[in-house]
C-alpha cells in the first residue's frame, strides 16, 4: 500500500472497531426488531419464523394487560421523574453555596447511583414489606395504619417509583450543579442591583440558565422511565408486576411475553411500540423546549 | 461582595437540608448491613433493631449455600473488566479520529453516534437474543461482554476531551518525524487521554457491574453475574429476608469500595456530563 493510501485509510481504521461492534450489536438488532415484530417467533426455536403480518400488534392492542402496562408506565414514570428532578434542582441549588465538606456531600448523594437496580429493588422491597417493613413500622409510630405496599395500586406504584427516585436524584443533582456553575456570576450581581430577591433570582437567572440542562435531564429520565424493568421485577420477584399487574411496566410486560410466555415476535412488537413512544415523548420535549426559546426570543 | 449563589456561604438551613439528603441516600445501604447481620426473627419484631447484629457471617454462609455467589462475583469481575478495557480502547480510538483526523463521512458518522445515544439498547434485545442463540452463546460470558462494548457515550466523551486537550501541533510534529498513526496513537494520544480514560473506565465498570436486564436475558443460574444471582435470591428461592439482604450486601460491596476510593473522580466524571447507563 502506498503512503498516501495508508494515510487516507488510517482514520477509518481508528473508527472501525467501534462501528463494527455498533453495527452488529447496536444498529442491526434495533432495525431487525421491526422485522421480527411481524413474524411468529417462539423462544424454544428462534430460528423458525412464520409470517404474521400485523397480528402481533392486534394481539397486543386487544390484550387488556398491554393497556394496564402502558398506563402504569406513564403513572410510574411521572411519579418517579417529577419528584426526582424537582428534588435534584433544590439540592443542586443548596450545594451551589460555598460549603464545608463539599466533596463529602457530593459523593454521599451519589451513593444510591453506585447501587445496582437489583440491590436497590430488593432493599426497598424489604423496607416496604407489609407486616414487618420499616416503612410501615415508622408509619405506625406516628399513628397510621400499615399500608399494603404490594397489592394496592397507588401504594405499589409509589413504592416502585421511590426506588427510581432514590437511585437517580443524586445523579441529577450533580448534572444540575454542573449547569449552575456555568452560569456567570455577573448575571446574579446585575439582578441584585435591580432589586431581585433570592427567589426571583432563582426563577429569572438560575432556571433560564439551566434550560438546556433541564431539557437534557427530562429527556434522559423520560427514556429511562419508559423502560423501567428491574424495579418492578424485583419488587416482588414476579414477571407479572403484582397479582393484578398493578405495577407491570411495558419493559416488564415485554419480558413476560418474550421470556415468560416464549412469544419473541410479540415481544418485538412491544419493543417497537416502546420505541415509537420514546420518539413521541422526545419529540414533545423538543417542541416544548423550542416554543419556550421562541417565546423568550420574542420578549 | 459578589452575590452569586456560588459565593454565598451556606447557612444552618443549608447544612440541615444536605445532612437530611445524605441520611436518606445512605440509610437503605446501612439498613442492608443491619438486616444482613440479624436473624429473620429480629427483623419481624414490632420495633426492629437499628444496629448491626451478630449474624452476618452465618447469613453470608447461607447465601453461599443457596446461590453460587463466589462464581457470580468472579463472572461479574470478568465481564465488567472485559467491557471496561474494550470500551475504553474502542472509544479512545474512535474519539481520537473524530477529534483530530479529517475524513469523508466524519460528520455523518459522528451524527450517528450522537443520535444512537438517544435510543435505549433494550429495544433491540429480541434480535440480539436470537443472534446469541444462533452463535450458541447463551450462558456464555461473551454474550454479555461483546454487546457491552458498544458505547456511543464513550466515543463522544473521548472526542470532547481530546478535541480540547490534544494540541494539533503535537500530532503534526510526530508525523513530520515519520511516526505512523499507530505510533502517534500509543506514544502521544494515549498519554494525553489517560485521565479521561480513567474516568470513562470507572463509569463503565460501575455501569457494567450493575447492569441487570441483558445479563438476566442472556445468562442463567448456571453462569450468573452478581445481579443475576441477586434476582435468584429475591425470586422466591429464599424466603429468609436477612439472607437476601446478606446477598445484596455482597453484591453491592465491591462497587461501594471502588466508590469509596475513587468517589471524587466519579463525581467529576458525572459533572462533565455522563449519561444514564
Amino acid at each position: 500500500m502506498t503512503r498516501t493510501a495508508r494515510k487516507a485509510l488510517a482514520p477509518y481504521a481508528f473508527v472501525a472497531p467501534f462501528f463494527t461492534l455498533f453495527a452488529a450489536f447496536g444498529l442491526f438488532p434495533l432495525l431487525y426488531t421491526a422485522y421480527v415484530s411481524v413474524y411468529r417467533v417462539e423462544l424454544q426455536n428462534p430460528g423458525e419464523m412464520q409470517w404474521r403480518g400485523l397480528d402481533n400488534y392486534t394481539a397486543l392492542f386487544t390484550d387488556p394487560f398491554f393497556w394496564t402496562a402502558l398506563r402504569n408506565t406513564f403513572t410510574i414514570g411521572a411519579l418517579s421523574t417529577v419528584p426526582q428532578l424537582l428534588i435534584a434542582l433544590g439540592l443542586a441549588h443548596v450545594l451551589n453555596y460555598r460549603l464545608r465538606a463539599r466533596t463529602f456531600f457530593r459523593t454521599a448523594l451519589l451513593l444510591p447511583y453506585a447501587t445496582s437496580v437489583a440491590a436497590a429493588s430488593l432493599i426497598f422491597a424489604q423496607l416496604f414489606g407489609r407486616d414487618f417493613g420499616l416503612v410501615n413500622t415508622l408509619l405506625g409510630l406516628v399513628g397510621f395504619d400499615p399500608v399494603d405496599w404490594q397489592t394496592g395500586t397507588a401504594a405499589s406504584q409509589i413504592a416502585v417509583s421511590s426506588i427510581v427516585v432514590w437511585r437517580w436524584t443524586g445523579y441529577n443533582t450533580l448534572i444540575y450543579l454542573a449547569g449552575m456553575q456555568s452560569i456567570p456570576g455577573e448575571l446574579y450581581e446585575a439582578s441584585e442591583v435591580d432589586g431581585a430577591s433570592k427567589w426571583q433570582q432563582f426563577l429569572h437567572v438560575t432556571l433560564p440558565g439551566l434550560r438546556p440542562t433541564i431539557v437534557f435531564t427530562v429527556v434522559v429520565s423520560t427514556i429511562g422511565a419508559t423502560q423501567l424493568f428491574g424495579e418492578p421485577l424485583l419488587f416482588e420477584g414476579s414477571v407479572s408486576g403484582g397479582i393484578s399487574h398493578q405495577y407491570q411496566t411495558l419493559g416488564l410486560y415485554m419480558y413476560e411475553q418474550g421470556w415468560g410466555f416464549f412469544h419473541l415476535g410479540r415481544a418485538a412488537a412491544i419493543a417497537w411500540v416502546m420505541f415509537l413512544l420514546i420518539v413521541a415523548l422526545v419529540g414533545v420535549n423538543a417542541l416544548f423546549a423550542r416554543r419556550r426559546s421562541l417565546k423568550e426570543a420574542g420578549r | 461582595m459578589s452575590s452569586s449563589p456560588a459565593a454565598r456561604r451556606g447557612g444552618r438551613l443549608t447544612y440541615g437540608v444536605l445532612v437530611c439528603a445524605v441520611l436518606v441516600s445512605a440509610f437503605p445501604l446501612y439498613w442492608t448491613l443491619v438486616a444482613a447481620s440479624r436473624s429473620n426473627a429480629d427483623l419481624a419484631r414490632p420495633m426492629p433493631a437499628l444496629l448491626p447484629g451478630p449474624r452476618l457471617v452465618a447469613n453470608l454462609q447461607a447465601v453461599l449455600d443457596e446461590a453460587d455467589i463466589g462464581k457470580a462475583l468472579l463472572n461479574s469481575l470478568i465481564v465488567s473488566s472485559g467491557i471496561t478495557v474494550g470500551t475504553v480502547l474502542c472509544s479512545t480510538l474512535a474519539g481520537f479520529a473524530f477529534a483530530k483526523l479529517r475524513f469523508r463521512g466524519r460528520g455523518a458518522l459522528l451524527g450517528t453516534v450522537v443520535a444512537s445515544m438517544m435510543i435505549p439498547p433494550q429495544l433491540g434485545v429480541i434480535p440480539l437474543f436470537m443472534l446469541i442463540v444462533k452463535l450458541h452463546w447463551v450462558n456464555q460470558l461473551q454474550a454479555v461482554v461483546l454487546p457491552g462494548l458498544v458505547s456511543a457515550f464513550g466515543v463522544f466523551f473521548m472526542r470532547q476531551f481530546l478535541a480540547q486537550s490534544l494540541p494539533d501541533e503535537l500530532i503534526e510534529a510526530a508525523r513530520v518525524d515519520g511516526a505512523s498513526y499507530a505510533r502517534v496513537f500509543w506514544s502521544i494520544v494515549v498519554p494525553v487521554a489517560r485521565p479521561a480514560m480513567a474516568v470513562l473506565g470507572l463509569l463503565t465498570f460501575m455501569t457494567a457491574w450493575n447492569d441487570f436486564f441483558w445479563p438476566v436475558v442472556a445468562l442463567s443460574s448456571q453462569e450468573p453475574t452478581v445481579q443475576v444471582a441477586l434476582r435468584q435470591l429475591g425470586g422466591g428461592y429464599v424466603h429468609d429476608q436477612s439472607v437476601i439482604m446478606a446477598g445484596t450486601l455482597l453484591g453491592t460491596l465491591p462497587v461501594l469500595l471502588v466508590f469509596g476510593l475513587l468517589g471524587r473522580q466519579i463525581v467529576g466524571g458525572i459533572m462533565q456530563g455522563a449519561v444514564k447507563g
Side-chain angles (χ1 to χ4, degrees):
Chain A
M1 213 189 300
T2 66
R3 205 181 143 81
T4 25
R6 212 183 288 172
K7 196 180 167 190
L9 286 178
Y12 298 103
F14 279 102
V15 298
F18 170 79
F19 278 100
T20 312
L21 291 163
F22 178 68
F25 298 113
L27 201 58
F28 158 75
L30 201 68
L31 299 175
Y32 201 65
T33 299
Y35 178 78
V36 176
S37 76
V38 288
Y39 282 87
R40 181 190 156 88
V41 192
E42 298 294 293
L43 184 72
Q44 299 93 330
N45 187 6
E48 197 184 288
M49 296 173 68
Q50 281 167 8
W51 171 255
R52 275 198 89 184
L54 290 179
D55 285 4
N56 282 331
Y57 289 91
T58 40
L60 212 58
F61 297 144
T62 50
D63 181 1
F65 290 136
F66 165 75
W67 298 103
T68 311
L70 185 66
R71 204 175 49 235
N72 291 346
T73 303
F74 273 103
T75 48
I76 296 176
L79 280 172
S80 53
T81 308
V82 175
Q84 169 194 325
L85 295 183
L86 288 179
I87 300 169
L89 204 55
L91 283 177
H93 180 73
V94 172
L95 269 180
N96 201 20
Y97 287 126
R98 226 167 61 198
L99 294 171
R100 250 173 280 171
R102 221 175 45 171
T103 315
F104 165 77
F105 284 122
R106 287 180 189 175
T107 319
L109 288 181
L110 206 59
L111 270 179
Y113 171 80
T115 313
S116 68
V117 189
S121 306
L122 291 176
I123 298 167
F124 274 70
Q126 223 262 322
L127 289 173
F128 279 111
R130 191 192 59 190
D131 298 321
F132 310 117
L134 204 60
V135 175
N136 275 348
T137 308
L138 292 178
L139 284 178
L141 285 181
V142 283
F144 284 98
D145 286 335
V147 176
D148 191 343
W149 296 105
Q150 246 134 27
T151 22
T153 303
S156 60
Q157 293 200 358
I158 289 171
V160 169
S161 305
S162 71
I163 309 173
V164 186
V165 174
W166 182 73
R167 274 192 77 222
W168 290 106
T169 300
Y171 170 89
N172 285 302
T173 302
L174 291 187
I175 302 279
Y176 285 149
L177 181 60
M180 284 178 186
Q181 290 184 341
S182 64
I183 300 174
E186 298 91 69
L187 286 179
Y188 289 98
E189 278 155 37
S191 70
E192 199 166 74
V193 171
D194 291 346
S197 69
K198 279 181 192 174
W199 176 242
Q200 282 170 327
Q201 281 187 342
F202 181 74
L203 280 187
H204 299 295
V205 182
T206 310
L207 281 187
L210 272 185
R211 167 90 48 68
T213 319
I214 293 176
V215 172
F216 169 78
T217 55
V218 169
V219 169
V220 171
S221 314
T222 309
I223 294 177
T226 319
Q227 17 158 24
L228 282 181
F229 168 73
E231 294 88 345
L233 175 64
L234 286 173
F235 186 60
E236 207 184 14
S238 78
V239 288
S240 59
I243 25 174
S244 52
H245 296 232
Q246 70 274 22
Y247 55 86
Q248 187 177 46
T249 55
L250 281 177
L252 192 51
Y253 180 66
M254 174 176 100
Y255 182 76
E256 188 187 28
Q257 289 292 331
W259 285 272
F261 303 150
F262 313 136
H263 303 317
L264 287 183
R266 183 98 60 96
I270 302 166
W272 197 242
V273 170
M274 284 166 73
F275 174 66
L276 293 179
L277 191 67
I278 288 175
V279 170
L281 288 170
V282 171
V284 167
N285 251 305
L287 214 65
F288 264 109
R290 250 190 67 151
R291 268 191 45 191
R292 284 295 304 269
S293 14
L294 282 180
K295 235 162 85 184
E296 224 134 81
R299 263 210 290 232
Chain B
M1 190 175 143
S2 162
S3 57
S4 150
R8 235 183 269 146
R9 231 170 230 299
R12 251 187 220 157
L13 185 66
T14 311
Y15 285 101
V17 169
L18 283 174
V19 168
C20 285
V22 167
L23 286 178
V24 172
S25 297
F27 182 77
L29 293 170
Y30 170 73
W31 175 251
T32 312
L33 175 67
V34 173
S37 60
R38 294 202 162 256
S39 71
N40 231 13
D42 283 347
L43 299 179
R45 294 223 185 91
M47 187 59 224
L50 288 175
L51 290 174
R55 290 186 48 87
L56 184 60
V57 176
N59 287 332
L60 289 175
Q61 192 57 51
V63 176
L64 293 177
D65 294 342
E66 308 261 4
D68 202 346
I69 289 279
K71 189 178 192 182
L73 284 167
L74 184 66
N75 280 346
S76 276
L77 189 66
I78 295 171
V79 164
S80 311
S81 314
I83 289 179
T84 304
V85 172
T87 300
V88 170
L89 189 64
C90 287
S91 304
T92 311
L93 284 167
F96 163 60
F98 281 125
K100 293 294 166 183
L101 305 178
R102 323 248 138 234
F103 53 98
R104 278 177 77 95
R106 185 172 88 146
L109 287 176
L110 188 62
T112 316
V113 172
V114 174
S116 75
M117 279 161 61
M118 281 308 212
I119 303 164
Q122 200 176 321
L123 301 185
V125 78
I126 287 121
L128 196 54
F129 181 74
M130 292 163 71
L131 187 70
I132 67 160
V133 169
K134 201 163 220 168
L135 294 168
H136 301 288
W137 282 4
V138 178
N139 264 331
Q140 313 241 339
L141 296 184
Q142 69 264 33
V144 180
V145 175
L146 280 167
L149 302 180
V150 180
S151 170
F153 164 71
V155 174
F156 190 70
F157 186 81
M158 291 312 300
R159 189 201 91 98
Q160 297 300 86
F161 181 83
L162 287 172
Q164 281 173 15
S165 328
L166 182 64
D168 290 334
E169 298 80 45
L170 217 56
I171 304 168
E172 275 156 29
R175 293 291 294 161
V176 170
D177 287 349
S180 68
Y181 272 115
R183 182 77 201 274
V184 168
F185 182 76
W186 288 114
S187 344
I188 295 174
V189 178
V190 168
V192 171
R194 200 163 284 152
M197 288 166 86
V199 168
L200 178 62
L202 273 175
L203 292 172
T204 308
F205 189 89
M206 273 172 63
T207 311
W209 183 278
N210 286 339
D211 192 17
F212 183 65
F213 186 75
W214 179 243
V216 159
V217 168
L219 304 174
S220 74
S221 48
Q222 292 128 46
E223 203 59 60
T225 60
V226 167
Q227 311 305 332
V228 178
L230 285 185
R231 190 213 162 172
Q232 275 170 263
L233 278 183
Y237 297 103
V238 182
H239 291 288
D240 196 328
Q241 287 293 336
S242 44
V243 174
I244 296 179
M245 286 298 105
T248 311
L249 187 69
L250 215 48
T252 316
L253 219 49
V255 171
L256 288 186
L257 277 179
V258 171
F259 197 78
L261 291 172
L262 301 163
R264 189 188 284 260
Q265 279 85 340
I266 296 171
V267 169
I270 287 183
M271 286 190 50
Q272 281 165 41
V275 168
K276 250 182 181 179

